[in-house]
């Protein structure tokens, strides 16, 4: 069965970066894009962007350009999202998803000094 | 960006009742609308796709409909396990956008 397993929670300091992973299993990894979504209590769900797992091509929501960087390692069927120059506003649960039906379990990123 | 205006923000209903949740798109999204349920601490689960298609394994008491740019999720015969948050999402145009969510409480 299709599964997306995300890396664990992160506690990061303002100004630093974090890299979240999303390991896919149960299907041909390079046949589907992986999307990333941010969820906060205040802003709800926001679409960050997606990566074409075959070509490595990316799309970023304008709001997240310069904040998020999406990459992929085909050899391990894993997608990554790096968040840079972290601020407290980046504190959120981040999901990877193979739209529409398959979502990872979420990764909590907390930005605090 | 396409705005998805979801209502109500919350509702409380009794077991066995029928409830409806609405999403209004700021422009035509040509039925590219999905509904999700989310329980606390869990990821969203797809209920309905393409406005009215029921995802495999989802009970038939969930249904979706559309009228112009207004989309609705109806839940019949409410069960205790239906308590949670519900979101709509348009996939017609990037960036994909979500409704603000509806918190459903079962009395």
């Amino acid at each position: 069965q299709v599964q997306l397993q995300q890396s664990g929670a992160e506690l990061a300091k303002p100004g630093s970066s974090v890299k979240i992973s999303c390991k896919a299993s149960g299907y041909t990894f390079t046949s589907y894009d992986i999307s990333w979504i941010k969820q906060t209590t205040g802003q709800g769900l926001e679409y960050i962007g997606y990566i074409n797992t075959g070509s490595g091509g990316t799309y970023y929501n304008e709001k997240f350009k310069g904040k998020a960087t999406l990459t992929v390692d085909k050899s391990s069927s894993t997608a990554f999202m790096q968040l840079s120059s972290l601020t407290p506003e980046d504190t959120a649960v981040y999901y990877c998803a193979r739209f529409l039906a398959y979502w990872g379990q979420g990764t909590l990123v907390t930005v605090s000094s | 960006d396409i705005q998805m205006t979801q209502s109500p923000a919350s509702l409380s209903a009794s077991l066995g009742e029928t409830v409806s949740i609405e999403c209004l798109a700021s422009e035509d999204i040509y039925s590219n609308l999905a509904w999700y349920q989310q329980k606390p601490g869990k990821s969203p689960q797809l209920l309905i796709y393409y406005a009215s298609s029921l995802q495999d394994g989802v009970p038939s008491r969930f249904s979706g409909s559309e009228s112009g740019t207004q989309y609705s999720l109806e839940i019949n015969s409410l069960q205790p396990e239906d308590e949670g948050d519900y979101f709509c999402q348009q996939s017609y145009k990037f960036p994909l956008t979500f409704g603000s969510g509806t918190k459903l409480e079962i009395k």
Side-chain angles (χ1 to χ4, degrees):
Chain A
Q1 71 282 23
V2 174
Q3 288 192 326
L4 298 173
Q5 182 66 37
Q6 296 184 228
S7 49
E10 300 267 6
L11 174 60
K13 295 197 181 304
S16 68
S17 298
V18 296
K19 192 170 186 178
I20 303 168
S21 66
C22 171
K23 182 171 176 58
S25 60
Y27 71 99
T28 301
F29 180 65
T30 52
S31 294
Y32 297 87
D33 300 336
I34 291 289
S35 290
W36 291 86
I37 302 97
K38 176 183 182 182
Q39 185 171 34
T40 59
T41 304
Q43 297 297 316
L45 291 156
E46 297 179 277
Y47 187 76
I48 297 170
Y50 74 83
I51 186 164
N52 181 308
T53 53
S55 67
T58 54
Y59 161 84
Y60 294 95
N61 183 343
E62 199 67 33
K63 180 178 179 179
F64 292 94
K65 284 183 179 178
K67 172 62 63 180
T69 303
L70 306 182
T71 56
V72 67
D73 176 7
K74 288 189 277 189
S75 68
S76 64
S77 299
T78 303
F80 300 91
M81 178 174 68
Q82 179 161 316
L83 299 170
S84 61
S85 303
L86 292 168
T87 73
E89 287 66 44
D90 297 316
T91 294
V93 175
Y94 293 87
Y95 292 99
C96 63
R98 200 197 94 176
F99 273 134
L100 295 163
Y102 302 103
W103 293 58
Q105 82 275 23
T107 297
L108 174 63
V109 174
T110 304
V111 182
S112 173
S113 54
Chain B
D1 298 0
I2 295 176
Q3 306 302 314
M4 303 301 298
T5 304
Q6 185 171 342
S7 62
S10 64
L11 73 158
S12 180
S14 300
L15 285 174
E17 284 189 14
T18 295
V19 297
S20 184
I21 299 168
E22 316 282 332
C23 264
L24 178 66
S26 61
E27 61 183 85
D28 201 335
I29 57 172
Y30 300 96
S31 304
N32 289 280
L33 191 284
W35 290 99
Y36 295 89
Q37 177 194 65
Q38 187 176 30
K39 302 285 183 79
K42 301 292 187 183
S43 54
Q45 299 294 306
L46 180 66
L47 301 172
I48 301 284
Y49 61 96
Y50 207 60
S52 59
S53 296
L54 193 66
Q55 172 68 359
D56 289 347
V58 174
S60 59
R61 63 178 183 274
F62 291 89
S63 64
S65 62
E66 63 179 288
S67 176
T69 58
Q70 176 118 330
Y71 294 82
S72 300
L73 172 71
E74 186 172 276
I75 313 172
N76 295 313
S77 302
L78 278 172
Q79 300 298 304
E81 60 267 29
D82 298 334
E83 187 164 281
D85 294 331
Y86 292 81
F87 300 93
C88 63
Q89 177 229 318
Q90 67 81 18
S91 56
Y92 175 66
K93 192 180 287 186
F94 285 99
L96 308 188
T97 48
F98 296 84
S100 53
T102 296
K103 183 175 291 294
L104 172 60
E105 177 197 53
I106 309 297
K107 288 188 280 194

